[in-house]
C-alpha cells in the first residue's frame, strides 16, 4: 500500500502562493455579491456617526462640527472609510481583502513551528484556507458601515505579528523579527484607535509576548535586536499622539475620545458610586432614585432633569419601557444628549470642564457622607463589577464561546432592508463604491436579492454549515491532543517545545478573555442578547487553535515541502 506521502504530492512554494492567490480571488469574488446595509436616521450613534466623520475627513475638516457625538468613539474607522473613498476602492471587498491579508500573515507567522513539526506547505495552505473563509469574517454584521467590519482583521495583524516574531526568535534565531513586530504594531495601533476596548484585549497578549521575547533576546545575546521590541509600542504611541493632536487642533481637547476617558468617564464613575435607594437593579447603573438624589445635591445636574425625566423624544430614544428606566448602555448617551440641549457641548473644552465639575462634586459628596456610596472613587463608563454579575457572566461567557464555535448568526446577507430615500442610497453608495440592499421584494418590505446573489449566498451558507460541524470537532480534537501531549512537551524542559505550546494556549486564553469581556458588558450594560459582531475576534482564534494545534501535536518525520 502506498504511504500518504506518496499518495499526496508535495506542494512547492510556488504552488502554495498560487493556491493562496486563487483562494483570495474566490473569497473576494463571493464578497462582491454582498450588499451594504444602512439605516439612515436610525443609527446616529454608530453607522451614521462613522459615515458623517468619514465625509468630514474627506472634506479636510477632520471629524466635522463638534457635538456630543464627535469624540464619543475611537475614529480610526472613519479614517479608513475616507482612505477607501480617496482610492475609489469598494468598501466591502476591500474589507475582505484586509481580512485575507491578516489570515495570510497569521498563517506565515506559524510557519517555523509547522515546519519543525514536519508539516509543510499543504498544512500552511489548510491553515490559511480555514482562516480566510471564516464565515464570521463575512457575516451580516460586516455589511454595516461600522468599525467592526475591520476590527477582527486588525486584531489578527497584532496576534499574527507578535506570534511570528516570537516563533522566529525561538525556532529560527537568525531570522529577522522586526517585520513581524512592525505588522504587530500596525495591528495594535489601528485596533486600539478603532475600538475603545481594544487595549484590554490586545495589550495583555502583546505584553506577555514581549516579556518572553525580551528574555529570549537576552538569552541569545542578540542585544542589537532589543530595540525592535519597542516597535509595536512606538507605533501605538505615534497613532495615539496623531489622533490626540488632531483633536487638540480642531476641538481644543488632547484626547482620543471624551467618552471612555477623561472627565466624562470620571463623572459616570462618580454616579455609579452612589448607592441606589431602590437597591441593585440589573442593567441599570444610575437608577431613578439615584438620579433624584443627584438632581437635589448636584446643581450642575439639575438642568438635565427635565430632559432625562420628561422630554418625550429622549424617553423614546433611550428609555427601556420594560424596565421603565435607562439601561447602562443607553443612559450615558441620554445624559450626553441632555447636556447638549443645555449648551454644554457648544465647545469641547466647555464639556470637559462641566463633567469634571460634576465628577468632583459627586465624589466630594460621597466622601463626606452626604450621598450614600457603595464603592470607591473610579473613572469609567462601565459600571463596577458586583457579586450579582459573576454567575450570569460565566453563563454568558460559555454561551458566547459555544456561539462562536458553531458560527451562530453568521449568514452572509442581511434579512432587513436598508432604510432611506433614493437620494440617501445614492449618497452612501457613491461614497462607499458598493451597493446597498435598498430594493424590496415585490409586495414586501424585505430586501430583494437576484437569483445569482441567492446562489452565492447559498454557497456561503453551505461553507458556514461545514464550519459549524468541523470546528467543534477539530477544536475538541486539538484540545485532546495538546492536553495528552503535556508530558512530552515538558519533558526535558526545552523552550523550543514549551513556548510554542504556551503561545497556542495563550491565544485560546485571549479568546476566552474576549468572551468574558463581552459577557460582562452584556450582563451589566446592554442586555441585547449574544452578538456575533462583538464576538467576531473569537472565531479566528478558535480556528487557529484547532488547525495549528492538530498539525503541531501530530508530528511527522519529514516535511512535505
Amino acid at each position: 500500500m502506498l504511504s500518504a506521502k506518496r499518495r499526496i504530492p508535495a506542494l512547492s512554494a510556488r504552488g502554495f502562493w498560487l493556491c493562496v492567490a486563487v483562494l483570495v480571488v474566490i473569497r473576494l469574488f463571493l464578497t462582491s455579491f454582498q450588499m451594504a446595509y444602512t439605516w439612515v436616521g436610525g443609527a446616529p450613534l454608530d453607522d451614521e456617526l462613522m459615515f458623517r466623520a468619514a465625509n468630514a475627513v474627506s472634506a479636510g475638516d477632520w471629524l466635522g462640527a463638534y457635538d456630543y457625538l464627535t469624540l464619543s468613539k475611537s475614529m480610526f474607522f472613519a479614517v479608513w472609510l475616507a482612505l477607501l473613498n480617496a482610492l475609489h476602492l469598494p468598501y466591502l471587498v476591500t474589507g475582505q481583502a484586509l481580512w485575507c491579508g491578516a489570515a495570510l500573515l497569521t498563517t506565515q507567522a506559524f510557519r517555523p513551528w509547522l515546519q519543525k513539526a514536519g508539516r509543510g506547505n499543504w498544512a500552511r495552505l489548510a491553515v490559511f484556507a480555514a482562516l480566510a473563509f471564516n464565515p464570521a469574517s463575512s457575516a451580516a454584521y460586516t455589511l454595516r458601515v461600522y468599525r467592526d467590519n475591520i476590527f477582527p482583521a486588525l486584531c489578527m495583524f497584532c496576534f499574527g505579528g507578535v506570534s511570528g516574531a516570537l516563533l522566529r526568535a525561538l525556532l529560527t534565531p537568525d531570522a529577522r523579527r522586526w517585520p513581524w513586530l512592525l505588522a504587530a504594531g500596525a495591528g495594535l495601533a489601528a485596533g486600539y484607535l478603532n475600538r475603545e476596548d481594544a487595549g484590554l484585549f490586545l495589550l495583555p497578549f502583546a505584553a506577555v509576548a514581549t516579556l518572553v521575547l525580551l528574555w529570549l533576546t537576552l538569552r541569545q545575546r542578540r542585544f542589537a535586536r532589543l530595540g525592535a521590541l519597542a516597535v509595536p509600542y512606538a507605533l501605538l504611541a505615534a497613532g495615539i499622539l496623531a489622533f490626540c493632536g488632531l483633536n487638540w487642533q480642531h476641538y481644543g481637547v488632547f484626547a482620543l475620545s471624551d467618552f471612555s476617558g477623561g472627565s466624562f468617564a470620571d463623572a459616570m464613575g462618580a454616579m455609579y458610586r452612589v448607592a441606589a435607594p431602590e437597591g441593585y437593579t440589573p442593567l441599570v447603573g444610575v437608577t431613578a432614585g439615584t438620579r433624584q438624589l443627584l438632581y437635589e445635591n448636584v446643581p450642575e445636574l439639575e438642568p438635565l432633569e427635565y430632559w432625562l425625566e420628561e422630554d418625550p423624544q429622549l424617553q423614546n430614544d433611550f428609555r427601556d419601557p420594560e424596565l421603565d428606566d435607562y439601561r447602562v448602555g443607553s443612559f450615558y448617551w441620554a445624559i450626553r444628549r441632555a447636556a447638549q440641549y443645555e449648551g454644554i457641548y457648544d465647545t469641547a473644552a466647555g464639556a470637559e470642564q462641566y463633567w469634571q465639575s460634576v465628577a468632583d462634586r459627586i465624589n466630594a459628596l460621597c466622601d463626606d457622607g452626604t450621598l450614600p456610596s457603595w464603592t470607591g472613587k473610579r473613572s469609567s463608563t462601565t459600571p463596577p463589577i458586583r457579586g450579582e454579575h459573576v454567575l450570569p457572566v460565566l453563563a454568558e461567557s460559555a454561551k458566547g464561546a459555544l456561539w462562536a464555535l458553531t458560527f451562530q448568526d453568521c449568514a452572509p446577507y442581511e434579512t432587513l432592508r436598508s432604510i432611506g430615500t433614493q437620494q440617501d442610497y445614492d449618497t452612501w453608495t457613491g461614497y462607499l463604491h458598493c451597493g446597498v440592499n435598498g430594493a424590496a421584494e415585490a409586495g414586501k418590505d424585505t430586501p430583494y436579492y437576484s437569483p445569482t446573489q441567492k446562489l452565492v449566498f447559498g454557497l456561503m451558507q453551505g461553507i458556514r454549515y461545514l464550519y459549524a460541524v468541523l470546528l467543534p470537532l477539530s477544536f475538541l480534537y486539538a484540545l485532546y491532543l495538546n492536553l495528552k501531549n503535556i508530558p512530552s512537551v515538558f519533558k526535558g524542559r526545552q523552550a523550543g517545545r514549551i513556548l510554542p505550546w504556551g503561545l497556542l494556549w495563550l491565544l485560546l486564553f485571549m479568546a476566552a478573555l474576549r468572551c468574558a469581556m463581552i459577557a460582562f458588558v452584556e450582563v451589566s450594560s446592554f442586555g441585547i442578547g449574544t452578538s456575533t459582531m462583538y464576538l467576531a475576534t473569537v472565531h479566528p482564534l478558535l480556528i487557529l487553535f484547532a488547525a495549528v494545534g492538530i498539525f503541531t501535536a501530530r508530528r511527522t518525520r519529514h516535511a512535505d515541502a
Side-chain angles (χ1 to χ4, degrees):
M1 181 180 293
L2 292 175
S3 68
K5 287 292 179 184
R6 294 180 181 177
R7 288 199 304 267
I8 304 176
L11 181 64
S12 67
R14 180 177 296 180
F16 168 79
W17 288 107
L18 179 62
C19 289
V20 166
V22 170
L23 290 175
V24 171
V25 169
I26 293 173
R27 190 74 178 89
L28 300 185
F29 174 75
L30 295 176
T31 302
S32 68
F33 288 91
Q34 293 182 290
M35 305 181 79
Y37 167 79
T38 185
W39 180 4
V40 179
L45 309 177
D46 300 319
D47 306 44
E48 290 179 275
L49 171 61
M50 297 293 164
F51 188 72
R52 182 187 74 177
N55 277 270
V57 172
S58 296
D61 189 28
W62 188 219
L63 303 177
Y66 182 76
D67 62 17
Y68 81 105
L69 293 175
T70 306
L71 298 182
S72 63
K73 295 188 177 183
S74 297
M75 284 294 182
F76 177 82
F77 182 70
V79 176
W80 168 258
L81 287 181
L83 176 64
L84 298 190
N85 176 261
L87 298 176
H88 298 279
L89 294 174
Y91 165 62
L92 292 179
V93 173
T94 308
Q96 287 303 304
L98 182 70
W99 172 251
C100 288
L104 181 58
L105 177 106
T106 305
T107 300
Q108 290 296 90
F110 283 84
R111 182 181 181 182
W113 193 17
L114 290 170
Q115 287 180 328
K116 184 178 180 181
R119 302 294 180 177
N121 291 330
W122 282 118
R124 274 199 297 150
L125 186 64
V127 174
F128 171 72
L131 288 171
F133 283 83
N134 164 26
S137 67
S138 57
Y141 79 89
T142 66
L143 307 180
R144 292 178 54 182
V145 187
Y146 197 50
R147 55 190 182 173
D148 291 280
N149 175 277
I150 62 172
F151 185 61
L154 300 179
C155 291
M156 289 310 293
F157 272 106
C158 179
F159 288 127
V162 171
S163 299
L166 183 58
L167 290 172
R168 277 155 184 77
L170 182 65
L171 303 176
T172 56
D174 292 331
R176 292 181 299 175
R177 304 167 196 177
W178 68 263
W180 296 95
L181 293 170
L182 187 65
L188 176 61
Y192 191 96
L193 297 170
N194 194 65
R195 280 195 65 92
E196 297 77 31
D197 59 354
L200 294 175
F201 182 49
L202 298 178
L203 282 174
F205 175 82
V208 170
T210 300
L211 290 175
V212 177
L213 273 169
L214 176 62
W215 173 74
L216 285 172
T217 305
L218 294 174
R219 185 187 182 194
Q220 297 164 357
R221 298 182 179 277
R222 297 178 181 271
F223 304 117
R225 298 189 175 187
L226 286 173
L229 300 181
V231 168
Y233 307 100
L235 289 178
L236 174 61
I240 292 173
L241 286 173
F243 270 70
C244 289
L246 286 166
N247 288 338
W248 171 263
Q249 179 184 351
H250 286 81
Y251 309 115
V253 176
F254 191 80
L256 281 180
S257 82
D258 62 5
F259 181 89
S260 55
S263 63
F264 180 73
D266 292 344
M268 290 305 305
M271 292 182 211
Y272 294 143
R273 286 188 66 182
V274 181
E278 306 94 328
Y280 170 65
T281 304
L283 295 174
V284 180
V286 183
T287 65
T290 301
R291 295 196 300 276
Q292 192 58 46
L293 287 175
L294 292 173
Y295 300 143
E296 293 171 358
N297 291 276
V298 183
E300 292 90 343
L301 292 177
E302 191 276 332
L304 307 187
E305 181 176 7
Y306 164 76
W307 302 107
L308 290 171
E309 310 303 334
E310 300 181 42
D311 180 66
Q313 186 61 54
L314 200 142
Q315 310 295 305
N316 180 69
D317 290 346
F318 295 111
R319 199 178 189 105
D320 187 321
E322 294 183 6
L323 295 173
D324 191 27
D325 211 332
Y326 296 99
R327 298 188 185 195
V328 171
S330 297
F331 178 68
Y332 39 57
W333 297 115
I335 197 171
R336 285 171 72 91
R337 186 187 290 182
Q340 171 148 309
Y341 289 154
E342 289 296 319
I344 292 164
Y345 279 95
D346 288 349
T347 66
E352 187 78 9
Q353 293 172 4
Y354 170 79
W355 291 118
Q356 193 60 60
S357 67
V358 170
D360 292 343
R361 190 177 296 273
I362 296 175
N363 283 320
L365 293 173
C366 287
D367 290 341
D368 68 18
T370 303
L371 288 175
S373 175
W374 71 278
T375 186
K377 184 178 179 180
R378 62 195 307 274
S379 176
S380 178
T381 54
T382 303
I385 298 175
R386 309 179 67 109
E388 294 90 342
H389 291 148
V390 175
L391 291 180
V393 166
L394 290 175
E396 181 60 30
S397 297
K399 181 182 178 182
L402 184 61
W403 187 275
L405 266 174
T406 54
F407 294 91
Q408 299 297 306
D409 190 30
C410 283
Y413 56 89
E414 179 56 72
T415 56
L416 299 175
R417 184 175 67 87
S418 290
I419 299 176
T421 66
Q422 187 59 50
Q423 183 179 1
D424 291 329
Y425 296 155
D426 291 342
T427 300
W428 285 65
T429 58
Y431 190 86
L432 299 173
H433 303 292
C434 71
V436 299
N437 66 339
E441 292 187 30
K444 300 180 181 179
D445 193 31
T446 52
Y448 168 80
Y449 298 116
S450 71
T452 304
Q453 285 177 304
K454 291 180 179 178
L455 180 64
V456 170
F457 295 159
L459 175 61
M460 295 174 77
Q461 281 281 61
I463 295 173
R464 171 199 166 197
Y465 295 141
L466 185 64
Y467 270 72
V469 172
L470 292 182
L471 181 59
L473 297 175
S474 300
F475 177 80
L476 291 175
Y477 186 45
L479 201 62
Y480 162 75
L481 289 176
N482 280 274
L483 290 173
K484 179 184 177 183
N485 286 349
I486 289 178
S488 62
V489 167
F490 285 89
K491 185 179 181 181
R493 299 181 181 179
Q494 298 178 8
R497 288 188 177 185
I498 297 174
L499 291 181
W501 180 86
L503 172 63
L504 197 63
W505 283 93
L506 180 58
L507 290 168
L508 182 59
F509 172 79
M510 299 312 299
L513 175 63
R514 186 64 179 176
C515 288
M517 288 171 59
I518 300 305
F520 175 70
V521 174
E522 165 65 16
V523 167
S524 68
S525 305
F526 284 176
I528 60 175
T530 310
S531 170
T532 295
M533 182 174 78
Y534 297 117
L535 291 169
T537 52
V538 175
H539 301 79
L541 294 176
L542 295 178
I543 292 171
L544 194 62
F545 179 87
V548 175
I550 290 173
F551 282 131
T552 55
R554 294 183 58 85
R555 299 171 61 89
T556 58
R557 296 178 61 186
H558 302 288
D560 60 7

